[in-house]
Amino acid sequence: MKNRIIFTLNPSQSRRLIAKGIVALPEIQHALEDGKIFVSRGSTNAYVLEELYALKNIQENFNKGDYNAGQIVPRENTMSLWVNKGERKQEVMFSKGEKIDVEDHVKTIEKFNQNDIFIKGANALDIKGVPAVLAAGRGGGTIGRAQGTLQAKGIEVICPIGLEKMILGNVLELQQLMGVNNLDKPAQGLPCGLIPMPFASTFTEIDAFETLFECEAYHVASGGVGGAEGSVSILVDVFDDAEMKAVNQLMDKIMQEPVYKPNLD
């Protein structure tokens, strides 16, 4: 008999699972030892950074809310795209396992070579599996300034993104409707554009389960009420009793993950 179980994850639990899966990837392990990894700002990336710190035994008092720029948060009676009003930490790179604070990410990635990795989250994952980033800055934010160099040099871009961000649309078409100059004012929060990343490899909860365990994972439901809003339900299909035990042991820890707290002031 197959071992099958459904886990329903809130967004914070999903972020922790995704982060653990990311750091277990062979290419990440290799780049940590003999290459470079750039971790851009973002809520999911903050979890990735925490996991990398733990892996390299780096002791740092790290508030995940500080490692963010634009974010969708509650404001008065609306949910809006808004900027991080709190302290904002510098972006981080690992070079052969050594943590380096990045002053200018464009100059940094100009020195990237094959087997180096750029990690960038996103706000949308479309029906074709293409991620995209909301950008309120006229320069396009981190990805707007970096993508030319990344694509020209063929640098691997990994996009950790939760399935809660799936949209029923095509980001390559939606980008034509969006734009800081194309939206009527007043808009909720900041007018913004949408920058697709068709060159990025997405990494979701499904990828995390299938990286960490010998299993097949399926996205079977989304949403909830009473505090379960934004959750995703994942069916995990495991063929081995011992592997099922390992899955449950990790998920017992994941389920204890505190709710992410953004900087709102």
Side-chain angles (χ1 to χ4, degrees), residues 49-63 89 92 94 97-99 101:
L49 196 54
E50 270 192 338
E51 292 295 327
L52 288 169
Y53 284 169
L55 197 62
K56 301 304 294 183
N57 294 314
I58 296 173
Q59 303 297 320
E60 182 165 327
N61 185 15
F62 183 64
N63 171 30
K89 285 189 173 292
V92 169
F94 291 85
E98 179 184 355
K99 177 209 165 190
D101 289 332

Side-chain angles (χ1 to χ4, degrees), residues 98-152:
E98 179 184 355
K99 177 209 165 190
I100 300 170
D101 289 332
V102 174
E103 296 285 348
D104 187 321
H105 69 267
V106 175
K107 290 182 179 179
T108 297
I109 62 174
E110 285 175 352
K111 300 176 183 178
F112 272 32
N113 297 306
Q114 187 180 15
N115 299 324
D116 296 335
I117 297 172
F118 189 91
I119 299 178
K120 178 73 180 85
N123 301 100
L125 180 62
D126 78 5
I127 56 176
K128 294 188 176 181
V130 179
V133 181
L134 292 172
R138 294 181 183 274
T142 299
I143 197 61
R145 296 180 60 220
Q147 66 178 347
T149 301
L150 292 169
Q151 290 179 270

